[in-house]
Amino acid sequence: MGSSGNEANNNQSVSRALEILTLFNGSSSELGISEISEKLGVNRSTVTRLVSTLKQLNYLRKSDHNAKYRLGEKVAELARVYYTNVNITQLAEPILKELRDATDETVSLSELKGTKGQHILWVNSKKRIRMVIEEKYLTFEL
């Protein structure tokens, strides 16, 4: 019976630690204990313990110029592993479709290969008169 209580506490701790990491975004790249506590609705002592653990594991690091925290090297490491193993076209396709629908224009994702661009994914416009990309890996001069 006691182990299920520990499991629930551990699950809640993991969940809260991950919630802390998700608070760091484009508008909040550095956060203090009080800010994290307020945003999560969790008391400061709990946040302090969780942040301390995340810092020890390099998921957070303390800012050099104030008492706030920012994402650490382990987060970058996880992102690197994720992006190494993800197919960029699978990630980009729904975004390209959304952009095509918003603009009603043909949209493409290209990569730089030396001095040439190469279309790697495209979504053609639905308009009758439109630019259509059909050739796979069409290259173009920059």
Side-chain angles (χ1 to χ4, degrees):
M1 184 93 166
S3 68
S4 67
N6 278 343
E7 188 175 317
N9 285 340
N10 288 341
N11 287 340
Q12 186 177 39
S13 294
V14 170
S15 180
R16 284 184 175 161
L18 292 173
E19 285 179 51
I20 288 171
L21 294 176
T22 62
L23 292 176
F24 294 88
N25 56 40
S27 61
S28 300
S29 62
E30 287 189 348
L31 295 168
I33 298 293
S34 296
E35 292 169 286
I36 296 169
S37 175
E38 184 179 312
K39 287 179 187 244
L40 292 183
V42 176
N43 67 50
R44 286 176 45 100
S45 62
T46 299
V47 170
T48 300
R49 277 194 317 276
L50 291 168
V51 165
S52 175
T53 300
L54 289 168
K55 184 176 176 255
Q56 284 176 327
L57 296 171
N58 292 320
Y59 286 95
L60 291 178
R61 67 183 179 114
K62 200 163 193 174
S63 175
D64 294 333
H65 59 289
N66 58 34
K68 295 186 176 192
Y69 294 85
R70 59 182 28 203
L71 293 176
E73 296 77 24
K74 279 286 190 187
V75 175
E77 213 174 283
L78 288 175
R80 206 171 15 261
V81 169
Y82 174 78
Y83 284 113
T84 299
N85 294 306
V86 73
N87 181 336
I88 188 72
T89 57
Q90 287 176 333
L91 284 176
E93 188 170 15
I95 297 166
L96 292 181
K97 285 180 178 176
E98 186 179 317
L99 186 57
R100 184 261 329 262
D101 293 344
T103 63
D104 205 20
E105 296 293 339
T106 296
V107 180
S108 73
L109 173 67
S110 303
E111 64 182 344
L112 186 60
K113 297 267 185 174
T115 60
K116 295 183 181 217
Q118 187 171 54
H119 295 291
I120 57 174
L121 178 66
W122 55 89
V123 180
N124 290 317
S125 172
K126 294 177 183 177
K127 292 193 293 190
R128 292 181 69 160
I129 299 175
R130 63 184 181 220
M131 177 183 136
V132 176
I133 302 172
E134 293 177 339
E135 185 180 328
K136 188 166 174 128
Y137 295 109
L138 177 69
T139 59
F140 54 90
E141 292 291 326
L142 296 179

